[in-house]
Amino acid sequence: MATRNGPAVVYRPVRQRAESTRGKIAALLERYFAGSPIELVNALLKNPALSAEEVPELRALIDHYINQRIPTASSKLITPAAALLSASRSKLTTPEFRNSD
C-alpha cells in the first residue's frame, strides 16, 4: 500500500509480517521438505549458519511452544530451556515470539 507524504511516496506492507511469514514457511515446507516441519528443523540444526549460542535459544522457543500448546496436569511444563527463554525473552523482538500472557 502506498501513500503520499508530500513529494515522497511511503510504502507500507499490505499483509502483516506474521501472516506473510506463515505463507512463505508453508511454501518452503511443501517445496523442499515434503510438508514435514521435522525435516525443516533437522535441516536448520545441520546448517552451519546456526551458531552454538543459538541452539539453547532455539530449544527454549520449542519448550515455550510446548508450554503454550500442550498443557500438563500442573498447567505448565517447566524445563531448563523454558527458564532460559524467560531470561532471554527481552532479546526476542518479533511479534510471533513475544509472550502474550
Side-chain angles (χ1 to χ4, degrees):
M1 172 183 283
T3 57
R4 288 219 170 260
N5 185 6
V9 177
V10 179
Y11 293 92
R12 289 186 175 42
V14 175
R15 294 189 299 175
Q16 295 293 323
R17 181 178 180 191
E19 179 185 344
S20 179
T21 300
R22 276 190 299 274
K24 289 177 182 177
I25 295 289
L28 178 79
L29 281 171
E30 286 304 314
R31 184 171 185 160
Y32 297 104
F33 300 101
S36 171
I38 299 296
E39 292 299 321
L40 172 64
V41 172
N42 189 35
L44 175 66
L45 291 170
K46 291 178 179 179
N47 190 313
L50 182 66
S51 72
E53 294 80 23
E54 291 171 313
V55 172
E57 288 185 46
L58 183 58
R59 176 59 190 251
L61 290 171
I62 292 169
D63 288 343
H64 177 74
Y65 176 81
I66 290 169
N67 285 334
Q68 296 299 317
R69 301 283 293 211
I70 307 170
T72 62
S74 64
S75 177
K76 295 285 185 182
L77 172 67
I78 304 299
T79 65
L84 174 64
L85 176 63
S86 295
S88 66
R89 188 166 283 145
S90 63
K91 293 194 299 185
L92 302 174
T93 59
T94 59
E96 303 87 55
F97 298 131
R98 287 194 187 133
N99 187 2
S100 61
D101 296 346

